mmCIF file of all heavy atoms in Angstrom:
data_model
loop_
_atom_site.group_PDB
_atom_site.id
_atom_site.type_symbol
_atom_site.label_atom_id
_atom_site.label_comp_id
_atom_site.label_asym_id
_atom_site.label_seq_id
_atom_site.Cartn_x
_atom_site.Cartn_y
_atom_site.Cartn_z
ATOM 1 N N PRO A 40 -40.688 -47.899 -7.730
ATOM 2 C CA PRO A 40 -41.720 -48.529 -6.997
ATOM 3 C C PRO A 40 -41.813 -50.035 -7.474
ATOM 4 O O PRO A 40 -42.134 -50.920 -6.618
ATOM 5 C CB PRO A 40 -42.990 -47.825 -7.255
ATOM 6 C CG PRO A 40 -42.570 -46.454 -7.594
ATOM 7 C CD PRO A 40 -41.297 -46.639 -8.281
ATOM 8 N N VAL A 41 -41.594 -50.322 -8.741
ATOM 9 C CA VAL A 41 -41.716 -51.716 -9.281
ATOM 10 C C VAL A 41 -40.489 -52.424 -9.189
ATOM 11 O O VAL A 41 -40.403 -53.683 -9.491
ATOM 12 C CB VAL A 41 -42.310 -51.734 -10.650
ATOM 13 C CG1 VAL A 41 -43.705 -51.163 -10.687
ATOM 14 C CG2 VAL A 41 -41.306 -50.973 -11.659
ATOM 15 N N SER A 42 -39.320 -51.835 -8.738
ATOM 16 C CA SER A 42 -37.985 -52.432 -8.664
ATOM 17 C C SER A 42 -37.583 -52.685 -7.283
ATOM 18 O O SER A 42 -36.376 -52.871 -6.993
ATOM 19 C CB SER A 42 -37.028 -51.562 -9.411
ATOM 20 O OG SER A 42 -37.397 -51.242 -10.702
ATOM 21 N N VAL A 43 -38.470 -52.618 -6.306
ATOM 22 C CA VAL A 43 -38.135 -52.742 -4.943
ATOM 23 C C VAL A 43 -37.307 -54.085 -4.525
ATOM 24 O O VAL A 43 -36.288 -54.019 -3.871
ATOM 25 C CB VAL A 43 -39.421 -52.591 -4.017
ATOM 26 C CG1 VAL A 43 -39.093 -52.850 -2.510
ATOM 27 C CG2 VAL A 43 -39.929 -51.119 -4.128
ATOM 28 N N PRO A 44 -37.762 -55.139 -4.997
ATOM 29 C CA PRO A 44 -37.106 -56.394 -4.712
ATOM 30 C C PRO A 44 -35.595 -56.331 -5.260
ATOM 31 O O PRO A 44 -34.691 -56.806 -4.588
ATOM 32 C CB PRO A 44 -37.906 -57.544 -5.424
ATOM 33 C CG PRO A 44 -39.139 -56.968 -5.600
ATOM 34 C CD PRO A 44 -39.001 -55.533 -5.856
ATOM 35 N N ILE A 45 -35.349 -55.762 -6.438
ATOM 36 C CA ILE A 45 -34.083 -55.752 -7.014
ATOM 37 C C ILE A 45 -33.148 -54.685 -6.214
ATOM 38 O O ILE A 45 -32.024 -55.034 -5.986
ATOM 39 C CB ILE A 45 -34.140 -55.336 -8.568
ATOM 40 C CG1 ILE A 45 -34.789 -56.421 -9.253
ATOM 41 C CG2 ILE A 45 -32.818 -55.055 -9.062
ATOM 42 C CD1 ILE A 45 -35.224 -56.029 -10.709
ATOM 43 N N ILE A 46 -33.771 -53.592 -5.817
ATOM 44 C CA ILE A 46 -33.125 -52.603 -5.113
ATOM 45 C C ILE A 46 -32.656 -53.150 -3.744
ATOM 46 O O ILE A 46 -31.570 -52.969 -3.271
ATOM 47 C CB ILE A 46 -33.885 -51.288 -4.882
ATOM 48 C CG1 ILE A 46 -34.108 -50.563 -6.288
ATOM 49 C CG2 ILE A 46 -33.283 -50.328 -3.907
ATOM 50 C CD1 ILE A 46 -35.132 -49.513 -6.299
ATOM 51 N N LEU A 47 -33.622 -53.860 -3.068
ATOM 52 C CA LEU A 47 -33.268 -54.437 -1.787
ATOM 53 C C LEU A 47 -32.188 -55.543 -1.943
ATOM 54 O O LEU A 47 -31.389 -55.644 -1.078
ATOM 55 C CB LEU A 47 -34.529 -55.081 -1.163
ATOM 56 C CG LEU A 47 -35.647 -54.149 -0.585
ATOM 57 C CD1 LEU A 47 -36.902 -54.878 -0.176
ATOM 58 C CD2 LEU A 47 -35.044 -53.372 0.541
ATOM 59 N N ALA A 48 -32.232 -56.274 -3.046
ATOM 60 C CA ALA A 48 -31.250 -57.254 -3.213
ATOM 61 C C ALA A 48 -29.828 -56.703 -3.354
ATOM 62 O O ALA A 48 -28.886 -57.112 -2.834
ATOM 63 C CB ALA A 48 -31.613 -58.139 -4.446
ATOM 64 N N GLY A 49 -29.885 -55.524 -4.074
ATOM 65 C CA GLY A 49 -28.517 -54.778 -4.244
ATOM 66 C C GLY A 49 -28.069 -54.284 -2.914
ATOM 67 O O GLY A 49 -26.833 -54.380 -2.539
ATOM 68 N N VAL A 50 -28.930 -53.698 -2.095
ATOM 69 C CA VAL A 50 -28.540 -53.149 -0.804
ATOM 70 C C VAL A 50 -28.090 -54.276 0.172
ATOM 71 O O VAL A 50 -27.008 -54.119 0.734
ATOM 72 C CB VAL A 50 -29.796 -52.346 -0.193
ATOM 73 C CG1 VAL A 50 -29.418 -52.024 1.268
ATOM 74 C CG2 VAL A 50 -30.037 -51.183 -1.035
ATOM 75 N N THR A 51 -28.824 -55.360 0.129
ATOM 76 C CA THR A 51 -28.421 -56.536 0.918
ATOM 77 C C THR A 51 -27.108 -57.065 0.544
ATOM 78 O O THR A 51 -26.232 -57.446 1.412
ATOM 79 C CB THR A 51 -29.467 -57.714 0.802
ATOM 80 O OG1 THR A 51 -30.784 -57.140 1.035
ATOM 81 C CG2 THR A 51 -29.227 -58.791 1.750
ATOM 82 N N ALA A 52 -26.814 -57.186 -0.741
ATOM 83 C CA ALA A 52 -25.477 -57.676 -1.283
ATOM 84 C C ALA A 52 -24.375 -56.758 -0.747
ATOM 85 O O ALA A 52 -23.352 -57.166 -0.416
ATOM 86 C CB ALA A 52 -25.522 -57.730 -2.768
#
Side-chain angles (χ1 to χ4, degrees):
V41 296
S42 307
V43 171
I45 296 169
I46 294 166
L47 286 176
V50 172
T51 308

